[in-house]
Amino acid sequence: MRYLLPFIATAALIGCSTYQNDSRSGVDSARLSQALSAQEEKAKERYNARNPQQTIEFFGIEPGMTVVEALPGGGWYSKILLPYLGNDGRLIGVDYAQEMWPLFGFFSTDQIEAKKTWTADWTKDANGWRNSGDDAYVAAFKFGDMPATLSETVDAVLFVRALHNLSRFNDQGQYLSSALNDTMRVLKPGGIVGIVQHRAPEDAPAASVKGGRGYLKQSDVIAFMKKAGFEFVGSSEVNANPNDQPAAEDIVWRLPPTLFTSREDEMLRAKMNAIGESDRMTLKFRKP
């Protein structure tokens, strides 16, 4: 399949996070700032909540790297990474396994059928986001169907608000376990896993933090990552929001930008906007 070729390992050094303060780090803050400045105004409106510069720097992402982005969707992070990684880099999108989509219960048959061509469709879209020959090359695959040619070719895998549904449906199909297995296989030794995830309070009832409400406990994420064989490097509070104190019944989509529960309630919507986007853990792991 042409959208999977070529996958040539780059000679870039493994990224070192600002947490480590390692002098070998090739993070290019000026180049990243330039990529951020070039984004559309609608994307920039979320910078104060999502802190992309600090987040990418914490993960140690460098120009020239090969990076996998889990559940890239419409490309909010992809459009930043493409110019930042540059034409020596690769950006590889990865979506949920095809058989996971019916489990949500609200996607139509046509929507689920359309997911069968996601790898080609997303690659086409992402190529359209490349503004010049200096942007990274793109490709895609699905969890559970990782091409063998990708084994140990990737410098970093990013899960930005992408773990909760994998966790939610893990009991039905080992989707989280499979995704983390693919992550381990795709990374080079020493490769990085960067996680940004909606964070539940540590005293939240276990039943409320399985992923269906969008929230996971930070201790649970660290535990299942270690169980999967990854070394914990460190955490950052750059995406923390202490205003978000969800009750056990609260869903993360009550908050902006979705505002799911207040679309017909102006006062509630104002309250949710005052809270802001969710409280988020930012974690860094390494493949041994």
Side-chain angles (χ1 to χ4, degrees):
M1 294 179 284
R2 64 182 183 276
Y3 50 87
L4 293 175
L5 297 172
F7 287 105
I8 302 172
T10 68
L13 293 173
I14 297 300
C16 301
S17 76
T18 54
Y19 175 86
Q20 293 176 295
N21 195 25
D22 193 319
S23 61
R24 295 174 300 163
S25 176
V27 171
D28 188 334
S29 295
R31 182 184 179 97
L32 179 54
S33 180
Q34 184 178 21
L36 290 165
S37 296
Q39 300 304 304
E40 296 179 355
E41 290 304 314
K42 186 176 181 180
K44 291 179 182 178
E45 290 173 2
R46 310 248 67 89
Y47 284 3
N48 286 339
R50 299 181 179 181
N51 306 292
Q53 175 122 15
Q54 299 95 319
T55 300
I56 291 170
E57 289 177 349
F58 175 72
F59 293 150
I61 306 303
E62 306 173 10
M65 278 186 167
T66 297
V67 175
V68 168
E69 182 186 357
L71 206 70
W76 195 91
Y77 255 102
S78 306
K79 293 171 184 176
I80 298 167
L81 289 168
L82 285 168
Y84 176 64
L85 295 174
N87 62 6
D88 289 330
R90 302 288 187 275
L91 180 63
I92 305 169
V94 58
D95 200 22
Y96 297 143
Q98 181 66 31
E99 62 269 21
M100 185 172 144
W101 289 102
L103 299 179
F104 286 89
F106 52 77
F107 290 107
S108 69
T109 300
D110 288 345
Q111 288 174 314
I112 294 169
E113 186 69 18
K115 279 289 181 181
K116 291 181 177 179
T117 59
W118 181 87
T119 50
D121 295 341
W122 187 84
T123 303
K124 180 180 178 181
D125 289 343
N127 271 312
W129 302 331
R130 299 174 73 231
N131 294 317
S132 72
D134 292 332
D135 286 3
Y137 291 92
V138 297
F141 69 97
K142 292 187 177 185
F143 283 126
D145 192 27
M146 189 195 91
T149 53
L150 283 182
S151 295
E152 298 196 342
T153 66
V154 169
D155 298 289
V157 177
L158 305 182
F159 288 89
V160 180
R161 305 183 306 278
L163 284 175
H164 47 278
N165 285 319
L166 292 167
S167 173
R168 173 187 181 185
F169 297 123
N170 195 52
D171 290 345
Q172 286 126 296
Q174 296 297 298
Y175 295 108
L176 176 61
S177 302
S178 176
L180 295 183
N181 181 58
D182 281 351
T183 299
M184 182 66 77
R185 290 170 54 218
V186 80
L187 282 170
K188 300 173 184 178
I192 293 301
V193 182
I195 293 172
V196 178
Q197 179 58 47
H198 311 294
R199 177 167 54 188
E202 284 296 321
D203 61 355
S208 71
V209 292
K210 296 295 186 181
R213 292 179 172 87
Y215 291 101
L216 299 175
K217 289 183 183 180
Q218 182 164 317
S219 59
D220 289 345
V221 174
I222 293 173
F224 67 59
M225 290 298 292
K226 286 183 174 180
K227 183 178 180 181
F230 297 97
E231 297 174 349
F232 179 51
V233 176
S235 63
S236 169
E237 289 300 293
V238 66
N239 293 304
N241 178 8
N243 293 326
D244 179 26
Q245 296 291 328
E249 68 275 9
D250 283 336
I251 60 172
V252 74
W253 303 283
R254 77 193 191 286
L255 299 173
T258 308
L259 296 168
F260 181 77
T261 61
S262 59
R263 293 174 179 173
E264 306 300 326
D265 187 332
E266 185 175 346
M267 291 183 63
L268 180 58
R269 187 164 64 252
K271 182 179 179 181
M272 295 301 102
N273 276 318
I275 293 173
E277 293 197 24
S278 65
D279 178 46
R280 292 164 189 165
M281 65 186 88
T282 305
L283 310 175
K284 182 176 178 179
F285 296 85
R286 179 184 290 111
K287 175 179 175 176

